[in-house]
Amino acid sequence: MTFHEGLRVELAADTRLSDRVAITDAAADGPQDGSGDEEAAGGAVGSLWLAAGTPGTVVGVTAHDRPGHGAREYERLASLLDSFGRDMPAQSRERLEEQIAALEPDWAAYLEQRLRVTLRVRFDNGFILDGVPDTFFTAA
């Protein structure tokens, strides 16, 4: 499924969130006395459960498409071969073809990877989840 801003979604399953809670109206660097104490900063450790089917709206979509070094090198060398291979000396072309063949497993692995997409969703109850994989949601 393709997600876009404004799309109505629902949580696909019960989701537990647990981490340190930060108070957003507190100073960004903690309490003024510099103690760093969680209670003084207004933070706590806990968890929150959101039920499957909790409705919300997508307010941001981020695609993470980062090929590894081998895949980038394969793409660069294949482009070089496609553009200039016919004009290269035979030995240079053969060496380039060998380099490309050695990088084919990296390229195949990159192609098999699914593009990773994360969402920022504002739920109807006011909660916002950011950086959540798209697999956590279904269209409403």
Side-chain angles (χ1 to χ4, degrees), residues 1-134:
M1 159 169 223
T2 303
F3 291 91
H4 56 84
E5 290 184 24
L7 179 70
R8 296 288 296 161
V9 294
E10 294 179 344
L11 274 174
D14 289 348
T15 304
R16 179 178 180 227
L17 308 171
S18 61
D19 204 346
R20 186 175 74 78
V21 177
I23 306 302
T24 58
D25 60 351
D29 55 343
Q32 296 301 324
D33 64 3
S35 68
D37 182 33
E38 290 295 322
E39 289 181 22
V45 176
S47 64
L48 169 72
W49 285 87
L50 295 173
T54 301
T57 303
V58 176
V59 293
V61 179
T62 305
H64 306 274
D65 184 23
R66 292 206 164 126
H69 174 72
R72 286 192 312 267
E73 187 67 4
Y74 175 91
E75 197 170 25
R76 184 183 74 80
L77 294 176
S79 176
L80 182 65
L81 181 63
D82 289 344
S83 297
F84 302 106
R86 65 184 172 278
D87 298 328
M88 289 180 160
Q91 289 179 332
S92 296
R93 186 176 54 251
E94 289 171 8
R95 186 168 4 120
L96 185 57
E97 289 170 346
E98 289 171 5
Q99 290 175 326
I100 292 170
L103 292 169
E104 281 181 4
D106 291 336
W107 181 251
Y110 169 67
L111 292 178
E112 288 176 8
Q113 275 181 346
R114 183 172 160 259
L115 177 66
R116 191 170 77 91
V117 175
T118 57
L119 305 175
R120 179 180 177 100
V121 174
R122 178 181 296 275
F123 291 104
D124 293 352
N125 62 10
F127 291 121
I128 297 173
L129 283 183
D130 193 12
V132 181
D134 61 347

